[in-house]
Each structure stands twice: as C-alpha cells, then as structure tokens.
Amino acid sequence: MPNLETFKRKIETAEDLQSVVKTMKALAAVSIRQYEKAVISLESYDKTLEMGLQILLKVDPKVLLNNGNLVTQKQQLALVLFGSDQGMCGQFNEKVANYTLETLKKQGIMINDCNLLTIGLRLGDRLENLGYPSARMLTVPSSIEGITPTIQETVLILEQWRQERHINQILVFNNDFISGSNYYPRDLQIFPLNINRLNALKKQPWPSHCLPTFTMSPETLASALFKQHFFVSLYRACAESLASENASRLASMQVAEKNIKDRLLELKKEFQHHRQSDITEELLDIISGFEALNKTKE
C-alpha cells in the first residue's frame, strides 16, 4: 500500500510536468503568431512578383504561355510534402499524409510514380513505412530564420529535377493554419503556372502610363521569375505548416494539461484520504495505549 511520501513524490512529479506543459503551450502560441506574421509579410513580395509576370506577359507572352508550362499527356510529377521533425503534435503528420494519398488516388496518380520530396523526418518515416520512400528528405526549420535556407535548397532540388527528370508538374501538400488550434491539409500546384491566372494578368491594365522595360532576355527573366514564384509559394507553405504544427501541439498540450489537472486532483484526494487514515490510526493507538495504562493502574 502506498505511503504518504509516495503520494508526495507523485504530486510533485505531476506538478513539474504541468509546469512543462504550460511552458510548451506558451511557446506554441508565440510561434503560431510569428509564423502568421511571416505569411502576411509575403503579400508585398508576391505583389511585386505578380507585376514582373505581368510585364513579361505584355512584352513577350509566349515565353510564359507557350514555354512547356502546360501539362503534357505524359506527366512527370514532383511532390513536396511538409510535415514535422518533432512529436507531441497530435495527428499533424497523419493528416497531411492521408490527404496526399487520397488526393492522388482521386486523380488516378500513383505516388510511387512521383518524385517525392519530404520536409519533415517524421512524415518521411511514416510514408516510408507505408511503402512510399522519399527521393529526398529535408529537416524542418526550427525558426523563421531557418525557413529561407531550407526553401532555397528545396528550389534548387526542384530546378535540378525539372532539368534532369523532365518534371512538368509540381504539387505541394501541407497543413494550412486557420485560427486557434485549427488547421486543415491542402494542396497547391506551383508548376506549371495557372493558365487562367496568366491570361487574367495579361489582360489586366498596367497601373501607370509607362510600362517598365528590362534589358535581359525574356527567357532569362522568365527563369528568374519562376524561381521566385517557387520560393514564395514554398516559403508560404512552410510557414503555414509550421503554424499548423504549433497549433496541433497547442491542442495536444491543452488536452495534456486537463489530464494532468484531473490526475493531480485524484492524487491530492488520495493523499488527504491516506493522511486522514494515518491520523485516525495514530489517535486510536493513543486511545488504546491510554486505556491500557489505566487498566494497569487499576
């Protein structure tokens, strides 16, 4: 039967764990806000990129509209999946993995026929256990500062695949943060560029009377714009994924905190019950001893 010291140690351990969970909740909440700001900061960058595409479409539209950017009959797909390296984030990796497989199945695409680039060791391991190994696997950046070098490496890999493996379609899968602790998986085609969007940009009037010019060749400019398009799209997906990961971790910590609180309440009740039992036993011993002493005197 546990003694009072055992219950004290259990209570102290639970309180220490409760403190750790509260700290992790605070860190997750702060991280969510940071990654939200990172996504918002891309708006002006994205607008500048869109203006660059618009200029090129007005000067030499065939470079973008007829430069092999449309999906051919024989698809060579590259998939970029964003997951996590760390645990304690609930069903975060399972959601994006299941969504990817379901989406590809609906489109009649076999994932084993795709070039798979996974950012997140836990997601990569999960897919490999399902029989879908990644061609390349990168670690998830641990801060906002780490997103840029990770995405730059990702862009280089995709550019290499486009040239060597003749990739003509690139899809990105990641969890998209909504609010609080809510997120959902989504997919985005970053290559080829959306033909409807390009046509709309071409028809859109330029905001001033003078259309900017450029000195480099249209092909060089198109290549540079493609790389920036990849970078912005992947950066946003990575930041959204990191915000979602922390949202999932926040939800897990909230559940853990409630469970610890309930467990602490049970332990304290048991401690009080055993303490009261010990006090009662001690009082009974004193009374019994007193009665025995009185009988001896008689």
Side-chain angles (χ1 to χ4, degrees), residues 14 20 113 138 189 192 206 243 261 284 292:
V20 172
D113 296 333
L138 304 178
Q189 178 177 298
W206 187 255
K261 186 177 180 180
L284 289 175

Side-chain angles (χ1 to χ4, degrees), residues 147-182:
I147 296 179
T148 297
T150 298
I151 298 306
Q152 286 175 339
E153 184 177 1
T154 303
V155 171
L156 290 175
I157 293 171
L158 292 176
E159 281 295 309
Q160 183 181 5
W161 284 2
R162 281 184 60 201
Q163 295 175 11
E164 297 178 357
R165 307 186 184 188
H166 308 291
I167 300 298
N168 52 26
Q169 187 176 13
I170 302 174
L171 302 176
V172 178
F173 293 84
N174 67 282
N175 284 311
D176 187 16
F177 175 70
I178 305 174
S179 63
S181 58
N182 300 315

Side-chain angles (χ1 to χ4, degrees), residues 58-75:
K58 290 183 179 296
V59 174
D60 193 353
K62 67 179 184 299
V63 175
L64 290 176
L65 296 175
N66 302 312
N67 193 29
N69 296 325
L70 299 178
V71 179
T72 58
Q73 289 184 350
K74 185 178 180 182
Q75 290 182 324

Side-chain angles (χ1 to χ4, degrees), residues 15 22 28 30 33 53 65 86 119 143 150 161 178-179 183 231 258 264 275 284:
E15 288 175 340
K22 286 182 178 179
V30 171
R33 184 54 185 158
L53 290 171
L65 296 175
Q86 301 176 358
I119 302 175
S143 64
T150 298
W161 284 2
I178 305 174
S179 63
Y183 62 94
F231 179 85
K258 182 180 181 303
L264 266 174
R275 183 170 178 271
L284 289 175

Side-chain angles (χ1 to χ4, degrees), residues 45-59:
Y45 193 98
D46 197 25
K47 180 63 178 177
T48 302
L49 176 60
E50 189 175 82
M51 293 174 71
L53 290 171
Q54 186 178 0
I55 293 170
L56 187 57
L57 284 166
K58 290 183 179 296
V59 174

Side-chain angles (χ1 to χ4, degrees), residues 71-83:
V71 179
T72 58
Q73 289 184 350
K74 185 178 180 182
Q75 290 182 324
Q76 294 293 332
L77 270 70
L79 308 179
V80 183
L81 276 65
F82 287 90

